[in-house]
Amino acid sequence: MAMSTIMNLKKRPDSTGSRDIGIDDEWVDPIATKKSATILYEKGQQHLVSVDMLRRLEYPLPELLDDPYEAHTAMVGTIHACDRCKQDYLIKDVLDKNDMDACVYHPARIKIMKVDGLKEKVYGCCQDELGSTGCSRGPHVYKDSDPSVLHQKIRYVRTPVRDSTSSTRQNIVALDCEMGYTTAGMELIRLTAVDQDMKVLLDELVLPSNMIIDLNTAYSGIKTLEGVKYDLDGLRKELFKYIDQDTIIVGHGLENDMNALRIIHTKIIDTVALFPHKAGLPYRNSLRGLSSAVLKKFIQTGTDGHDSFEDARVCIELLQAFIKKQDKLKNK
């Protein structure tokens, strides 16, 4: 076996770089791969989200940077409705012990179940009827979605201009972010970025700028930030090794990711726009639904929250499936 492997290794072309590895069925022609990457990028250019649609989807846009930036932890000392229990509460920058279980809520979404042969709406977490007292306790939380408000908390930045000497920058990158609750709203706690071949470029935890009050584990899948290496600035520097203003960023509901990253970028392919809901906005197809309908693949089936690598990878697969379908329609 060793001799056979050595002979096969001698027969294969010289390696052209760190990604050009393997022999026999493992080896992938780097020239063909590069050509495929160029084709996907060129075809992807035809399906970028228009600036008008970016605005409708509430993406942060370049004009946001014209607003003066005054750093502050907006809303501290004001009254806000809790996203979970909908009760009004006082926003603080530091919570005490009593604040940590002040909210009584149902952590799971409403679902329809048959009760005594009849369909009824119940809470997915405990199967209690709609309107019942919450089955979980935790801190009150809120989320800002207005980019102009978010900009005052943490400044937005543009993706960098293209560096022709970079050996790491990518034509297409898919992103997925996970967020947790802090005293200043919702902040980024994990970023996963994959290239067009669905290989991981970056998968890192992120230390928020404000006091963490809930990692939102049921949805984020994050149970601890132990071992975290980056804050937001440090993570963006790592991300900018792979993306620039010419990179196409792919994702699902990417306005949330751009807001979490505080990045302004306009070369976007959003699967929300690529596969619009039949009823139109504000309705949106879920990533889970699109994966099932288009790719015949079931995702987000676990109980430990989302897998950001799985979500990012599926977005690339959806783009590939969409372009393949468009090509078939053109050739009819």
Side-chain angles (χ1 to χ4, degrees):
M1 286 179 65
M3 288 300 297
S4 177
T5 300
I6 290 170
M7 293 307 295
N8 287 340
L9 188 58
K10 283 183 175 181
K11 290 176 183 177
R12 66 146 286 171
D14 291 341
S15 175
T16 59
S18 60
R19 294 191 177 193
D20 182 8
I21 58 174
I23 56 174
D24 299 333
D25 294 338
E26 298 174 356
W27 181 69
V28 178
D29 186 346
I31 297 176
T33 301
K34 188 174 181 180
K35 184 177 180 181
S36 173
T38 302
I39 291 172
L40 186 63
Y41 180 70
E42 289 174 351
K43 291 186 175 181
Q45 297 273 17
Q46 302 169 26
H47 304 292
L48 296 175
V49 182
S50 68
V51 173
D52 180 60
M53 181 56 76
L54 289 175
R55 189 169 284 110
R56 289 182 63 193
L57 293 172
E58 299 182 345
Y59 272 79
L61 295 173
E63 55 260 33
L64 179 67
L65 297 177
D66 295 334
D67 295 340
Y69 171 73
E70 296 178 7
H72 61 81
T73 54
M75 303 188 75
V76 170
T78 64
I79 302 296
H80 199 286
C82 174
D83 283 357
R84 290 171 170 166
C85 68
K86 310 307 177 186
Q87 299 295 314
D88 288 342
Y89 76 103
L90 178 68
I91 295 177
K92 301 178 180 179
D93 55 358
V94 178
L95 304 189
D96 59 32
K97 184 178 179 180
N98 292 331
D99 295 322
M100 296 307 292
D101 62 356
C103 177
V104 181
Y105 67 102
H106 289 286
R109 295 188 177 97
I110 295 168
K111 65 179 183 179
I112 296 175
M113 291 184 64
K114 277 193 175 182
V115 180
D116 297 329
L118 299 175
K119 289 184 178 179
E120 291 188 9
K121 290 182 178 180
V122 299
Y123 294 105
C125 43
C126 59
Q127 283 73 58
D128 283 355
E129 63 182 13
L130 201 62
S132 63
T133 302
C135 60
S136 297
R137 301 187 76 97
H140 291 301
V141 296
Y142 76 98
K143 174 187 176 183
D144 284 322
S145 57
D146 184 346
S148 62
V149 173
L150 293 171
H151 182 56
Q152 299 307 316
K153 294 183 177 183
I154 302 173
R155 185 198 298 264
Y156 282 80
V157 298
R158 286 178 180 266
T159 42
V161 296
R162 184 167 185 173
D163 178 3
S164 58
T165 65
S166 172
S167 60
T168 56
R169 65 89 53 191
Q170 304 290 316
N171 279 334
I172 296 178
V173 171
L175 297 180
D176 189 70
C177 294
E178 300 298 343
M179 278 77 82
Y181 289 106
T182 74
T183 52
M186 219 172 209
E187 293 189 52
L188 181 69
I189 56 173
R190 181 185 178 185
L191 167 69
T192 304
V194 303
D195 65 15
Q196 74 156 46
D197 298 318
M198 291 165 279
K199 294 178 181 177
V200 175
L201 299 170
L202 199 60
D203 186 17
E204 293 289 348
L205 297 174
V206 190
L207 185 66
S209 301
N210 296 276
M211 179 183 174
I212 303 163
I213 57 176
D214 193 328
L215 290 173
N216 202 27
T217 303
Y219 296 100
S220 71
I222 308 299
K223 297 178 180 179
T224 176
L225 292 184
E226 184 178 353
V228 61
K229 295 186 292 185
Y230 299 105
D231 61 8
L232 181 59
D233 284 337
L235 185 82
R236 286 191 301 207
K237 287 177 183 176
E238 290 299 307
L239 180 61
F240 290 163
K241 292 177 181 178
Y242 304 105
I243 68 172
D244 57 36
Q245 291 179 10
D246 292 330
T247 301
I248 295 176
I249 299 181
V250 185
H252 184 80
L254 264 174
E255 77 280 3
N256 294 310
D257 304 84
M258 295 295 102
N259 283 330
L261 284 162
R262 298 298 201 277
I263 287 176
I264 292 178
H265 188 82
T266 53
K267 280 203 169 186
I268 297 288
I269 293 179
D270 194 326
T271 50
V272 166
L274 209 58
F275 299 92
H277 194 282
K278 61 183 180 181
L281 292 173
Y283 299 102
R284 301 179 176 209
N285 291 311
S286 68
L287 185 61
R288 181 180 180 181
L290 287 176
S291 179
S292 175
V294 179
L295 305 175
K296 311 304 178 188
K297 178 184 290 188
F298 297 99
I299 64 169
Q300 301 175 0
T301 55
T303 57
D304 295 329
H306 293 176
D307 180 341
S308 53
F309 169 63
E310 180 182 57
D311 291 356
R313 183 182 60 201
V314 163
C315 289
I316 291 287
E317 292 180 293
L318 285 169
L319 173 60
Q320 292 171 336
F322 179 85
I323 289 175
K324 186 176 181 180
K325 184 178 180 180
Q326 294 297 307
D327 288 344
K328 283 184 178 179
L329 292 173
K330 288 177 182 177
N331 294 329
K332 280 187 176 181

